[in-house]
Amino acid sequence: MMEHMIHPFSELFEQLGLDASNDGIKHFIATHKLPANIELIEAPFWSAAQAGFLKEGLQDDSDWAEVIDQLNISLR
């Protein structure tokens, strides 16, 4: 069985085409809050490609799923 690799937050931000610096991540989280009734992948601030990457990462329980869950929690 293959072990899931744990990706750091910065790598997820790089995959999403966002500023992956510590300040960039803090700024994104501070300026993008999600109400409880909106799914992460339905957030209005994602491009179609970003939403697709997040959806695929969660659906496939890929090695990105854990860090995507962390992002979801951070945006609440």
Side-chain angles (χ1 to χ4, degrees):
M1 186 158 130
M2 207 170 113
E3 291 220 11
H4 280 305
M5 189 173 130
I6 306 300
H7 293 282
F9 235 27
S10 59
E11 271 187 35
L12 177 60
F13 275 66
E14 286 172 9
Q15 285 292 317
L16 294 170
L18 301 170
D19 182 348
S21 69
N22 283 340
D23 287 344
I25 292 170
K26 287 178 190 170
H27 178 74
F28 184 87
I29 290 171
T31 57
H32 295 82
K33 292 297 179 193
L34 275 179
N37 63 332
I38 296 184
E39 293 288 329
L40 176 68
I41 59 173
E42 294 171 358
F45 45 79
W46 301 129
S47 69
Q50 289 170 325
F53 174 80
L54 294 169
K55 182 177 183 179
E56 193 175 295
L58 291 171
Q59 279 182 337
D60 298 344
D61 195 25
S62 73
D63 54 346
W64 290 103
E66 191 170 321
V67 74
I68 292 170
D69 286 340
Q70 288 175 2
L71 176 61
N72 189 27
I73 292 165
S74 297
L75 294 173
R76 303 297 169 167

